[in-house]
Amino acid sequence: MKKLVSLLFFVLPFIVFGQSNPHKIKVVIDGYADSTLYLAYYYGNKVKLADTAVSHSKTFVFNGKQELKGGIYIVVSQQKSKLFEFVLNKKQSFTLKTDTVNYSLDLTPSGSPENKLFYSYLKHNEMVYKKIKLLSDSLKKQGSGDDEAIALREEIKMLNEEGKAFKLKMIAKNQGTFVAALLTAMREVEIPDSIINSSDSTAAFYYYKNHFWDYFPLNDDRLLRTPLFDKRIKEYFKNLVSLEADSVITAIDYVIGMAEPNEDVVSYLVWYFTSEYQNPKYMGFDKILVHLVDNYFSKREIEYTTPSVLASLQKRADVLRKLLIGKEAPNLIVIDTAGSYKSFLSMPNEYTILLFWDYDCSICKREIKALKKVMVEHPPYDIGIFAINTNSNLKRWKQTINERHLESWTNVNGTRSVTSDFHDLYDVNGTPVLYLLDKDKRIIAKKLKADKIVLFLDHYTQTKK
């Protein structure tokens, strides 16, 4: 097991859970020299602090007037190292005794049938793991086809089957316990041979995807407080969801729907996806944040959402929704080098580039150079450039246009505008920023690098055929 635990929970406020039932968890560690222990718990992809115990002997007591929510909890040393884990369900008064030789394998629970089951599983699992490791090490020394190697592989297979049978037997004999729910959630989807051998090459993938959550009830918030939850969510979205905004939105709604009506899990998931997609890695994925704000934050109570937080989220979504792929680009009427006001809507080109740039910006200089190269090489596309400078010094702006030979572009200055502030209108928080529009002045790409424009248009025109 990993020794170090994320330090995140030490900067979070003390968390109090539940109803009015108390918790009293006694921890006895022979040989433990420090005076402090922390009680922490998993919370999706985080670890949070639940309680602190101070003692000048080997006995520590986590004692509180409130019931803690079920899940896997962690006893953490004064040095922020994980010592061991245990399960917590309805019964919250018990003793865990161990020593510093092997915190987990030497642990003996008393007064907690759930933890007796949990440690029975852990110890059996450790025993099987050690046997398999010895056999695997021996196998590495053998030739792949000799008799001994075949025998070793068969023995490893039998041990894996034994471990699986032990888990299934424990689940069957202990229905209703959190340990049974936990072990069930660990089960992997088994794809039938008929599907594996199907002539349809996609059958196995779709079977696995359709049955991915069979053993993992997302509406059981106890699983949220285990390391399994985050791993499952990440695996599903990484391996089973297409890398397209609409597909991700569909998957998010599906997963949150399965978490209903558990408000704890729904709130966690909404915030998790918000964190994942508020600064998206892929173009067009800002649509996901808009969806989350419109369909969850604005329609129901989500935990930890204060009125000011909600207002900020809605303001951000309102900025983004006007700039989503496929939307008509907001009009800009800004001054040109002759002192006249101009709009890109009058540009006749098949494609229009909106480039926001700063004459003091070194990255802008590189992008402009790359963009000039694109235009000089005469790509097979009719592209017009509407270059919006963000500096207020008009004299220097015009000098820079001449110095960099940008006269063939439509040059305008964003600081002299009839329309709204370009910073808000186009979400310009730095430069350069580039938007690519089609002939109807709809946004087809944004925040694209200049040297990727032709490649993007090649792909775009192919998909439009």
Side-chain angles (χ1 to χ4, degrees):
M1 293 185 187
K2 291 181 180 177
K3 286 289 183 184
L4 293 180
V5 179
S6 167
L7 299 184
L8 178 60
F9 69 84
F10 288 102
V11 297
L12 293 171
F14 183 83
I15 306 297
V16 178
F17 290 135
Q19 312 302 318
S20 59
N21 297 324
H23 66 272
K24 185 177 181 180
I25 302 161
K26 186 184 291 186
V27 177
V28 182
I29 306 177
D30 289 334
Y32 186 73
D34 291 322
S35 60
T36 303
L37 282 180
Y38 299 105
L39 181 63
Y41 63 98
Y42 295 99
Y43 185 70
N45 61 353
K46 297 179 176 64
V47 176
K48 292 189 176 185
L49 179 65
D51 206 346
T52 304
V54 177
S55 173
H56 296 289
S57 69
K58 63 182 180 179
T59 301
F60 297 80
V61 181
F62 297 107
N63 201 0
K65 295 180 180 179
Q66 300 273 329
E67 182 179 76
L68 301 174
K69 290 185 178 180
I72 292 181
Y73 281 68
I74 315 160
V75 173
V76 181
S77 75
Q78 193 167 316
Q79 286 74 36
K80 319 289 191 292
S81 295
K82 178 168 74 174
L83 304 183
F84 60 87
E85 298 172 342
F86 65 92
V87 294
L88 194 63
N89 199 18
K90 295 176 182 178
K91 185 173 175 56
Q92 301 197 356
S93 180
F94 50 84
T95 299
L96 303 170
K97 189 175 187 303
T98 188
D99 56 47
T100 56
V101 177
N102 193 317
Y103 289 102
S104 291
L105 294 182
D106 291 346
L107 189 141
T108 303
S110 58
S112 175
E114 289 256 19
N115 277 295
K116 284 185 178 179
L117 285 173
F118 183 58
Y119 271 89
S120 172
Y121 167 75
L122 289 183
K123 289 173 182 179
H124 183 272
N125 201 47
E126 180 71 10
M127 177 194 70
V128 171
Y129 168 77
K130 286 180 176 178
K131 287 181 179 178
I132 289 175
K133 189 175 186 307
L134 284 172
L135 293 170
S136 297
D137 290 344
S138 298
L139 184 58
K140 290 175 185 176
K141 301 172 186 176
Q142 305 298 322
S144 60
D146 61 33
D147 291 343
E148 190 169 349
I150 293 169
L152 286 168
R153 278 194 290 270
E154 187 61 31
E155 201 170 345
I156 289 170
K157 181 182 176 182
M158 288 174 63
L159 282 167
N160 280 319
E161 290 297 324
E162 179 196 327
K164 179 181 169 183
F166 182 86
K167 184 190 294 183
L168 292 175
K169 184 178 180 182
M170 184 169 276
I171 292 169
K173 288 180 65 177
N174 297 283
Q175 288 294 307
T177 65
F178 175 46
V179 172
L182 187 64
L183 297 181
T184 300
M186 292 179 187
R187 292 185 64 183
E188 291 293 333
V189 176
E190 295 183 14
I191 304 173
D193 289 342
S194 59
I195 299 292
I196 293 172
N197 299 324
S198 168
S199 58
D200 182 354
S201 60
T202 65
F205 171 83
Y206 284 108
Y207 183 92
Y208 185 74
K209 181 176 181 178
N210 293 336
H211 292 272
F212 185 83
W213 299 106
D214 282 3
Y215 302 120
F216 201 105
L218 280 163
N219 58 4
D220 185 345
D221 63 277
R222 295 173 303 181
L223 295 176
L224 174 60
R225 285 174 285 278
T226 73
L228 302 178
F229 193 93
D230 184 58
K231 180 183 174 185
R232 280 281 171 156
I233 292 291
K234 282 186 168 64
E235 182 184 349
Y236 185 74
F237 279 84
K238 180 181 178 182
N239 298 333
L240 301 176
V241 178
S242 298
L243 206 57
E244 300 167 338
D246 288 337
S247 297
V248 173
I249 287 170
T250 299
I252 284 173
D253 290 343
Y254 176 65
V255 165
I256 292 176
M258 286 194 296
E260 298 283 12
N262 193 301
E263 292 298 332
D264 282 357
V265 184
V266 169
S267 290
Y268 171 82
L269 286 170
V270 170
W271 274 115
Y272 170 80
F273 292 126
T274 300
S275 176
E276 284 289 296
Y277 298 108
Q278 64 181 342
N279 296 304
K281 300 174 186 175
Y282 304 103
M283 185 169 61
F285 274 45
D286 44 1
K287 182 179 184 179
I288 299 168
L289 179 63
V290 174
H291 177 82
L292 288 165
V293 173
D294 290 349
N295 291 276
Y296 296 100
F297 287 107
S298 297
K299 289 186 176 180
R300 62 191 296 175
E301 286 190 19
I302 300 297
E303 197 174 8
Y304 308 123
T305 308
T306 63
S308 61
V309 167
L310 178 60
S312 295
L313 286 166
Q314 289 172 331
K315 183 180 179 182
R316 182 65 183 149
D318 287 342
V319 169
L320 293 176
R321 81 173 74 255
K322 302 191 298 287
L323 301 170
L324 297 178
I325 300 295
K327 294 284 188 180
E328 287 185 13
N331 193 12
L332 269 177
I333 304 175
V334 281
I335 200 167
D336 66 7
T337 52
S340 301
Y341 283 97
K342 221 164 224 187
S343 166
F344 61 82
L345 295 181
S346 62
M347 296 179 71
N349 306 85
E350 187 77 11
Y351 300 101
T352 303
I353 291 171
L354 304 183
L355 174 67
F356 296 88
W357 67 284
D358 177 334
Y359 51 58
D360 287 323
C361 163
S362 59
I363 301 174
C364 296
K365 193 171 183 179
R366 290 200 300 270
E367 280 297 289
I368 287 171
K369 185 178 179 181
L371 192 54
K372 284 173 66 180
K373 184 179 178 184
V374 167
M375 301 302 286
V376 168
E377 290 177 355
H378 301 293
Y381 303 108
D382 175 25
I383 303 173
I385 299 176
F386 194 76
I388 307 106
N389 181 259
T390 63
N391 305 98
S392 60
N393 188 326
L394 301 187
K395 183 178 179 181
R396 191 172 166 201
W397 161 54
K398 292 174 185 179
Q399 287 174 345
T400 307
I401 290 171
N402 293 328
E403 289 166 3
R404 299 185 189 175
H405 307 293
L406 309 179
E407 295 88 350
S408 62
W409 297 0
T410 301
N411 289 289
V412 294
N413 191 285
T415 66
R416 308 294 195 275
S417 175
V418 173
T419 46
S420 301
D421 188 331
F422 69 88
H423 292 93
D424 301 327
L425 208 55
Y426 277 89
D427 194 32
V428 177
N429 299 305
T431 52
V433 173
L434 188 152
Y435 287 82
L436 181 60
L437 317 180
D438 67 8
K439 65 179 179 179
D440 298 318
K441 303 302 183 273
R442 293 185 180 276
I443 298 169
I444 58 172
K446 54 187 174 180
K447 300 187 179 177
L448 196 64
K449 295 289 185 183
D451 61 359
K452 303 296 181 188
I453 290 171
V454 174
L455 187 65
F456 172 83
L457 286 174
D458 288 344
H459 180 264
Y460 177 76
T461 52
Q462 284 297 317
T463 58
K464 293 290 283 184
K465 288 180 180 178

